[in-house]
Amino acid sequence: GNSVTQMEGPVTLSEEAFLTINCTYTATGYPSLFWYVQYPGEGLQLLLKATKADDKGSNKGFEATYRKETTSFHLEKGSVQVSDSAVYFCARAGTGANNLFFGTGTRLTVIP
Amino acid sequence: GAGVSQTPSNKVTEKGKYVELRCDPISGHTALYWYRQSLGQGPEFLIYFQGTGAADDSGLPNDRFFAVRPEGSVSTLKIQRTERGDSAVYLCASSVLAGGETDTQYFGPGTRLTVL
């Protein structure tokens, strides 16, 4: 089964709204966690990552905190922009750390 | 510098045909990964190379799928006797280290395969 469960979309927000995209995972141990983003017409890009419990990854105003108690890695941004419109994927490292398990993706559309 | 490149960007083939998809990783990256992304889904792992050898091919769906990386750089994913269910975007990624926990994978733009 899928070991990364991601909030289903699509999500539509107005510019400057607060964003949360939920992500939970199942795993043995404490794998590295990632958020990847796919902008329209582009390939997957790493947005941020956290490699151990309680770490906070951040980039471009986005943040996510590795919560081992709740096995979660929710993505947040305080004020979204139109340019943030994209598909966001949560992922965790495999047990051998040589592959990634992805969630199904959440499409975000930000309207002016 | 140049990122991961994949060719062709689009491939349309008929059921039962053979196809090859190519990946050029970032220069100097030891590890190379193939994923498959079906419509509305996240990428699913297929195979991982460390250098020239396939270190983990547990994600390949069946023996119609095969991948090589003979010189430790360019990789080719080969699909025999294609089926309509093989239609997807095939993604390649590479990373500097050999699958370390903090290793960052850099993805190519993908090859969209359509099997008619």
Side-chain angles (χ1 to χ4, degrees):
Chain A
N2 195 338
S3 60
V4 177
T5 302
Q6 191 173 337
M7 170 181 168
E8 291 188 15
V11 174
T12 302
L13 294 174
S14 297
E15 206 165 22
E16 300 183 2
F18 183 84
L19 169 71
T20 300
I21 302 178
N22 290 338
C23 173
T24 57
Y25 67 91
T26 56
T28 302
Y30 304 106
S32 293
L33 301 174
F34 307 82
W35 277 99
Y36 276 81
V37 59
Q38 190 168 31
Y39 297 104
E42 299 184 18
L44 275 171
Q45 302 174 24
L46 178 67
L47 179 60
L48 53 83
K49 68 179 182 182
T51 59
K52 60 183 187 295
D54 299 324
D55 266 5
K56 177 185 285 188
S58 61
N59 186 25
K60 299 182 180 180
F62 290 88
E63 292 183 341
T65 301
Y66 192 138
R67 304 279 189 202
K68 64 179 182 181
E69 300 84 2
T70 53
T71 61
S72 65
F73 194 54
H74 305 324
L75 183 68
E76 296 182 337
K77 185 172 185 181
S79 176
V80 294
Q81 305 301 311
V82 172
S83 58
D84 294 327
S85 297
V87 182
Y88 292 81
F89 293 91
C90 184
R92 73 157 180 85
T95 50
N98 54 29
N99 60 325
L100 294 172
F101 291 97
F102 284 87
T104 56
T106 302
R107 181 177 297 279
L108 170 67
T109 301
V110 180
I111 54 178
Chain B
V4 178
S5 62
Q6 293 185 244
T7 54
S9 55
N10 279 283
K11 176 70 178 178
V12 180
T13 190
E14 293 179 343
K15 180 175 177 296
K17 299 291 188 183
Y18 168 82
V19 297
E20 290 189 351
L21 312 179
R22 177 187 167 106
C23 172
D24 279 88
I26 293 172
S27 178
H29 279 194
T30 305
L32 185 146
Y33 314 78
W34 283 99
Y35 294 82
R36 178 169 70 173
Q37 185 175 14
S38 300
L39 191 63
Q41 301 296 315
E44 293 180 296
F45 170 74
L46 296 177
I47 186 169
Y48 153 65
F49 286 89
Q50 183 173 325
T52 61
D56 182 353
D57 64 358
S58 61
L60 294 178
N62 51 60
D63 61 6
R64 296 186 297 105
F65 289 75
F66 189 71
V68 295
R69 195 186 186 199
E71 298 178 358
S73 179
V74 171
S75 176
T76 304
L77 179 65
K78 308 180 180 193
I79 310 174
Q80 298 178 323
R81 305 183 303 281
T82 52
E83 300 177 356
R84 293 194 178 89
D86 298 335
S87 297
V89 176
Y90 289 82
L91 298 171
C92 178
S94 69
S95 65
V96 173
L97 301 175
E101 271 286 337
T102 59
D103 210 0
T104 296
Q105 296 183 27
Y106 296 87
F107 282 80
T111 293
R112 181 176 300 278
L113 174 67
T114 302
V115 182
L116 301 177

Coordinates of all heavy atoms in Angstrom, one line a residue, chain B residues 3-60:
Chain B
G3 N 20.8 20.1 -16.4 CA 20.1 19.2 -15.5 C 19.9 17.9 -16.1 O 20.6 17.5 -17.1
V4 N 19.1 17.1 -15.6 CA 18.8 15.7 -16.1 C 17.9 15.9 -17.4 O 17.0 16.7 -17.4 CB 18.0 14.9 -15.1 CG1 17.6 13.5 -15.7 CG2 18.8 14.7 -13.8
S5 N 18.4 15.3 -18.5 CA 17.6 15.4 -19.7 C 17.1 14.0 -20.1 O 17.7 13.0 -19.8 CB 18.4 15.9 -20.8 OG 19.5 15.1 -21.1
Q6 N 15.9 14.0 -20.7 CA 15.3 12.7 -21.1 C 14.8 12.9 -22.6 O 14.3 13.9 -23.0 CB 14.1 12.4 -20.2 CG 14.5 12.1 -18.8 CD 13.3 11.6 -18.0 OE1 12.9 12.3 -17.0 NE2 12.7 10.5 -18.4
T7 N 15.0 11.8 -23.3 CA 14.5 11.8 -24.7 C 13.9 10.5 -25.0 O 14.3 9.4 -24.5 CB 15.7 12.1 -25.7 OG1 16.7 11.1 -25.5 CG2 16.2 13.5 -25.6
P8 N 12.8 10.5 -25.9 CA 12.2 11.7 -26.4 C 11.3 12.3 -25.3 O 11.1 11.7 -24.3 CB 11.3 11.1 -27.5 CG 11.0 9.7 -27.1 CD 12.2 9.2 -26.3
S9 N 10.7 13.4 -25.6 CA 9.8 14.0 -24.6 C 8.4 13.4 -24.7 O 7.7 13.3 -23.7 CB 9.7 15.5 -24.8 OG 9.3 15.8 -26.2
N10 N 8.1 12.9 -25.9 CA 6.9 12.2 -26.1 C 7.1 11.0 -27.0 O 7.9 11.1 -28.0 CB 5.8 13.1 -26.8 CG 5.1 14.0 -25.9 OD1 4.2 13.6 -25.1 ND2 5.5 15.3 -25.8
K11 N 6.4 9.9 -26.7 CA 6.6 8.7 -27.6 C 5.2 8.1 -27.7 O 4.6 7.8 -26.7 CB 7.5 7.7 -27.0 CG 7.7 6.4 -27.7 CD 8.4 6.6 -29.0 CE 8.6 5.3 -29.7 NZ 9.2 5.4 -31.1
V12 N 4.8 7.9 -28.9 CA 3.5 7.2 -29.2 C 3.8 6.0 -29.9 O 4.6 6.0 -30.9 CB 2.5 8.1 -30.0 CG1 1.2 7.3 -30.3 CG2 2.2 9.4 -29.4
T13 N 3.3 4.9 -29.4 CA 3.6 3.6 -30.1 C 2.3 2.7 -30.1 O 1.3 3.1 -29.5 CB 4.7 2.9 -29.3 OG1 5.2 1.7 -30.0 CG2 4.3 2.4 -27.9
E14 N 2.4 1.6 -30.8 CA 1.3 0.7 -30.9 C 1.5 -0.4 -29.9 O 2.6 -0.9 -29.6 CB 1.1 0.2 -32.3 CG 0.7 1.3 -33.3 CD 0.6 0.7 -34.7 OE1 1.1 -0.4 -34.9 OE2 0.0 1.4 -35.5
K15 N 0.4 -1.0 -29.5 CA 0.4 -2.1 -28.6 C 1.3 -3.2 -29.2 O 1.2 -3.5 -30.4 CB -1.0 -2.6 -28.3 CG -1.1 -3.8 -27.4 CD -2.6 -4.1 -27.2 CE -2.9 -5.3 -26.3 NZ -2.4 -6.6 -27.0
G16 N 2.2 -3.8 -28.4 CA 3.0 -4.9 -28.8 C 4.4 -4.5 -29.3 O 5.3 -5.3 -29.5
K17 N 4.6 -3.2 -29.5 CA 5.9 -2.7 -30.0 C 6.9 -2.6 -28.9 O 6.5 -2.6 -27.7 CB 5.7 -1.3 -30.7 CG 4.8 -1.3 -31.9 CD 5.4 -2.1 -33.0 CE 4.6 -1.9 -34.3 NZ 5.1 -2.7 -35.4
Y18 N 8.2 -2.4 -29.3 CA 9.3 -2.2 -28.3 C 9.6 -0.7 -28.3 O 9.7 -0.1 -29.3 CB 10.4 -3.1 -28.8 CG 11.8 -2.8 -28.2 CD1 12.1 -3.4 -27.0 CD2 12.7 -2.0 -28.8 CE1 13.3 -3.2 -26.4 CE2 13.9 -1.8 -28.2 CZ 14.2 -2.4 -27.0 OH 15.5 -2.2 -26.4
V19 N 9.9 -0.2 -27.1 CA 10.4 1.2 -27.0 C 11.6 1.3 -26.1 O 11.8 0.5 -25.2 CB 9.2 2.1 -26.4 CG1 8.0 2.1 -27.4 CG2 8.8 1.7 -25.0
E20 N 12.3 2.3 -26.3 CA 13.5 2.7 -25.5 C 13.4 4.1 -25.1 O 13.1 5.0 -25.9 CB 14.8 2.5 -26.3 CG 15.2 1.0 -26.5 CD 16.6 0.9 -27.1 OE1 17.2 1.9 -27.4 OE2 17.0 -0.3 -27.2
L21 N 13.6 4.4 -23.8 CA 13.6 5.7 -23.3 C 14.9 6.0 -22.7 O 15.5 5.2 -22.0 CB 12.5 5.9 -22.2 CG 11.1 5.3 -22.5 CD1 10.2 5.4 -21.3 CD2 10.5 5.9 -23.8
R22 N 15.4 7.2 -23.0 CA 16.8 7.6 -22.6 C 16.9 8.6 -21.5 O 16.0 9.5 -21.5 CB 17.6 8.1 -23.9 CG 19.0 8.5 -23.6 CD 19.6 9.1 -24.9 NE 20.8 9.8 -24.6 CZ 22.0 9.4 -24.9 NH1 22.2 8.3 -25.6 NH2 23.1 10.1 -24.6
C23 N 17.8 8.5 -20.7 CA 18.1 9.5 -19.6 C 19.5 9.8 -19.6 O 20.4 9.0 -19.5 CB 17.6 8.9 -18.3 SG 18.1 9.9 -16.8
D24 N 19.8 11.1 -19.6 CA 21.1 11.7 -19.4 C 21.2 12.3 -18.0 O 20.6 13.4 -17.8 CB 21.5 12.7 -20.4 CG 21.9 12.1 -21.7 OD1 21.1 11.8 -22.6 OD2 23.2 11.9 -21.9
P25 N 21.9 11.8 -17.0 CA 21.9 12.4 -15.7 C 22.8 13.6 -15.6 O 23.5 13.9 -16.6 CB 22.4 11.2 -14.8 CG 23.4 10.5 -15.8 CD 22.7 10.6 -17.1
I26 N 22.8 14.2 -14.5 CA 23.7 15.3 -14.3 C 25.1 14.8 -14.2 O 25.3 13.7 -13.5 CB 23.3 16.1 -13.0 CG1 22.0 16.8 -13.2 CG2 24.4 17.1 -12.6 CD1 21.4 17.4 -11.9
S27 N 26.0 15.4 -14.8 CA 27.4 14.9 -14.9 C 28.0 14.7 -13.5 O 27.9 15.6 -12.6 CB 28.3 15.9 -15.7 OG 29.6 15.5 -15.7
G28 N 28.5 13.6 -13.3 CA 29.2 13.3 -12.0 C 28.2 12.6 -11.0 O 28.7 12.2 -9.9
H29 N 27.0 12.5 -11.3 CA 26.0 11.9 -10.4 C 26.2 10.4 -10.5 O 26.1 9.8 -11.5 CB 24.6 12.3 -10.7 CG 24.2 13.6 -10.1 ND1 22.9 14.1 -10.0 CD2 25.0 14.6 -9.6 CE1 22.9 15.3 -9.5 NE2 24.2 15.6 -9.2
T30 N 26.4 9.8 -9.3 CA 26.6 8.3 -9.2 C 25.3 7.5 -9.4 O 25.3 6.5 -10.0 CB 27.3 8.0 -7.9 OG1 28.5 8.7 -7.8 CG2 27.6 6.5 -7.8
A31 N 24.3 8.0 -8.7 CA 23.0 7.3 -8.6 C 22.1 7.8 -9.7 O 22.0 9.0 -10.0 CB 22.4 7.4 -7.2
L32 N 21.3 6.8 -10.2 CA 20.3 7.2 -11.2 C 19.0 6.3 -10.9 O 19.1 5.2 -10.6 CB 20.8 6.8 -12.6 CG 19.9 7.2 -13.8 CD1 20.7 7.7 -15.0 CD2 18.9 6.1 -14.2
Y33 N 17.9 7.0 -11.1 CA 16.6 6.3 -10.7 C 15.6 6.5 -11.8 O 15.6 7.5 -12.5 CB 16.0 7.0 -9.5 CG 16.9 7.3 -8.3 CD1 17.9 8.4 -8.4 CD2 16.9 6.5 -7.2 CE1 18.7 8.6 -7.3 CE2 17.8 6.8 -6.1 CZ 18.7 7.8 -6.2 OH 19.6 8.1 -5.2
W34 N 14.8 5.5 -12.0 CA 13.6 5.6 -12.9 C 12.3 5.5 -12.1 O 12.2 4.6 -11.2 CB 13.7 4.5 -13.9 CG 14.6 4.7 -15.1 CD1 15.9 4.1 -15.2 CD2 14.4 5.4 -16.3 NE1 16.5 4.5 -16.4 CE2 15.6 5.3 -17.0 CE3 13.4 6.2 -16.7 CZ2 15.8 5.9 -18.3 CZ3 13.5 6.8 -18.0 CH2 14.7 6.7 -18.7
Y35 N 11.4 6.3 -12.4 CA 10.1 6.3 -11.8 C 9.0 6.3 -13.0 O 9.3 6.7 -14.1 CB 9.8 7.5 -10.9 CG 10.7 7.6 -9.7 CD1 12.0 8.1 -9.8 CD2 10.2 7.2 -8.5 CE1 12.7 8.2 -8.6 CE2 10.9 7.3 -7.3 CZ 12.2 7.8 -7.4 OH 13.0 7.9 -6.3
R36 N 7.8 5.9 -12.6 CA 6.7 6.0 -13.6 C 5.6 6.7 -12.9 O 5.2 6.4 -11.7 CB 6.2 4.6 -14.0 CG 5.1 4.5 -14.9 CD 4.8 3.2 -15.5 NE 4.3 2.2 -14.5 CZ 3.9 1.0 -14.8 NH1 4.0 0.6 -16.1 NH2 3.5 0.1 -13.9
Q37 N 5.0 7.7 -13.6 CA 3.9 8.5 -13.1 C 2.7 8.3 -13.9 O 2.6 8.8 -15.1 CB 4.3 9.9 -12.9 CG 3.3 10.8 -12.2 CD 3.8 12.2 -12.0 OE1 4.8 12.7 -12.6 NE2 3.1 13.0 -11.2
S38 N 1.7 7.7 -13.4 CA 0.4 7.6 -14.1 C -0.4 8.8 -13.8 O -0.2 9.5 -12.8 CB -0.3 6.3 -13.7 OG 0.4 5.1 -13.9
L39 N -1.4 9.0 -14.7 CA -2.3 10.2 -14.6 C -2.9 10.3 -13.2 O -3.5 9.3 -12.7 CB -3.3 10.2 -15.6 CG -4.1 11.5 -15.8 CD1 -3.2 12.6 -16.3 CD2 -5.2 11.2 -16.9
G40 N -2.7 11.4 -12.5 CA -3.4 11.7 -11.2 C -2.7 11.0 -10.1 O -3.2 11.0 -9.0
Q41 N -1.5 10.4 -10.3 CA -0.8 9.7 -9.3 C 0.6 10.3 -9.0 O 1.1 11.1 -9.9 CB -0.6 8.2 -9.6 CG -1.9 7.5 -9.8 CD -2.8 7.4 -8.6 OE1 -2.3 7.2 -7.5 NE2 -4.1 7.7 -8.7
G42 N 1.2 10.0 -7.9 CA 2.6 10.4 -7.7 C 3.5 9.4 -8.4 O 3.1 8.3 -8.8
P43 N 4.7 9.8 -8.6 CA 5.7 8.9 -9.2 C 5.9 7.6 -8.4 O 5.9 7.6 -7.2 CB 7.0 9.7 -9.2 CG 6.6 11.1 -9.2 CD 5.3 11.1 -8.3
E44 N 6.0 6.5 -9.1 CA 6.3 5.2 -8.5 C 7.7 4.7 -8.9 O 8.0 4.7 -10.1 CB 5.2 4.2 -8.9 CG 3.8 4.4 -8.4 CD 2.9 3.4 -8.9 OE1 2.6 3.3 -10.1 OE2 2.3 2.7 -8.0
F45 N 8.4 4.2 -7.9 CA 9.8 3.8 -8.2 C 9.8 2.6 -9.0 O 9.1 1.6 -8.9 CB 10.4 3.5 -6.8 CG 11.8 2.8 -6.9 CD1 12.9 3.5 -7.3 CD2 11.9 1.5 -6.6 CE1 14.1 2.8 -7.3 CE2 13.1 0.8 -6.6 CZ 14.2 1.5 -7.0
L46 N 10.8 2.6 -10.0 CA 11.0 1.4 -10.8 C 12.3 0.7 -10.5 O 12.4 -0.5 -10.2 CB 10.9 1.8 -12.3 CG 9.6 2.3 -12.9 CD1 9.8 2.7 -14.3 CD2 8.5 1.3 -12.7
I47 N 13.4 1.5 -10.7 CA 14.7 0.9 -10.6 C 15.8 1.9 -10.2 O 15.6 3.1 -10.5 CB 15.1 0.2 -11.9 CG1 16.4 -0.6 -11.8 CG2 15.2 1.2 -13.1 CD1 16.7 -1.5 -13.0
Y48 N 16.8 1.5 -9.5 CA 17.9 2.4 -9.1 C 19.2 1.8 -9.5 O 19.5 0.6 -9.3 CB 17.7 2.5 -7.5 CG 19.0 2.8 -6.8 CD1 19.7 4.0 -7.0 CD2 19.5 1.9 -5.9 CE1 20.8 4.3 -6.3 CE2 20.7 2.2 -5.2 CZ 21.3 3.4 -5.4 OH 22.4 3.7 -4.6
F49 N 20.1 2.6 -10.0 CA 21.4 2.3 -10.4 C 22.4 3.0 -9.5 O 22.3 4.2 -9.2 CB 21.7 2.7 -11.9 CG 21.1 1.8 -12.9 CD1 19.8 2.2 -13.4 CD2 21.7 0.7 -13.4 CE1 19.2 1.4 -14.3 CE2 21.1 -0.1 -14.4 CZ 19.9 0.3 -14.8
Q50 N 23.4 2.2 -9.1 CA 24.6 2.8 -8.4 C 25.8 2.5 -9.3 O 26.2 1.4 -9.4 CB 24.7 2.2 -7.0 CG 25.9 2.7 -6.2 CD 25.9 2.2 -4.8 OE1 24.8 1.9 -4.2 NE2 27.0 2.0 -4.3
G51 N 26.2 3.5 -10.0 CA 27.2 3.3 -11.0 C 26.6 2.5 -12.2 O 25.5 2.9 -12.7
T52 N 27.2 1.4 -12.6 CA 26.7 0.7 -13.8 C 25.7 -0.4 -13.4 O 25.0 -0.9 -14.3 CB 27.9 0.0 -14.5 OG1 28.5 -0.9 -13.6 CG2 28.9 1.0 -15.0
G53 N 25.7 -0.7 -12.1 CA 24.8 -1.9 -11.7 C 23.5 -1.4 -11.2 O 23.3 -0.4 -10.6
A54 N 22.5 -2.3 -11.4 CA 21.1 -2.1 -10.9 C 21.1 -2.5 -9.5 O 21.1 -3.8 -9.2 CB 20.1 -2.8 -11.7
A55 N 21.2 -1.6 -8.5 CA 21.2 -2.0 -7.1 C 19.9 -2.4 -6.6 O 19.8 -3.1 -5.6 CB 21.8 -0.8 -6.3
D56 N 18.8 -1.9 -7.2 CA 17.5 -2.2 -6.7 C 16.5 -2.1 -7.9 O 16.3 -1.0 -8.4 CB 17.1 -1.3 -5.6 CG 15.7 -1.6 -5.0 OD1 15.0 -2.5 -5.5 OD2 15.3 -0.9 -4.0
D57 N 16.0 -3.3 -8.3 CA 15.0 -3.3 -9.4 C 13.7 -3.8 -9.0 O 12.9 -4.2 -9.8 CB 15.6 -4.1 -10.6 CG 15.7 -5.5 -10.3 OD1 15.5 -5.9 -9.1 OD2 16.1 -6.3 -11.2
S58 N 13.4 -3.6 -7.7 CA 12.2 -4.2 -7.1 C 10.9 -3.5 -7.6 O 9.8 -4.1 -7.5 CB 12.3 -4.1 -5.6 OG 12.3 -2.7 -5.2
G59 N 11.0 -2.3 -8.2 CA 9.9 -1.6 -8.7 C 9.4 -2.0 -10.1 O 8.4 -1.6 -10.5
L60 N 10.3 -2.7 -10.8 CA 9.9 -3.0 -12.2 C 8.7 -3.9 -12.2 O 8.7 -4.9 -11.5 CB 11.1 -3.8 -12.9 CG 12.3 -2.9 -13.1 CD1 13.4 -3.8 -13.8 CD2 12.0 -1.7 -14.0

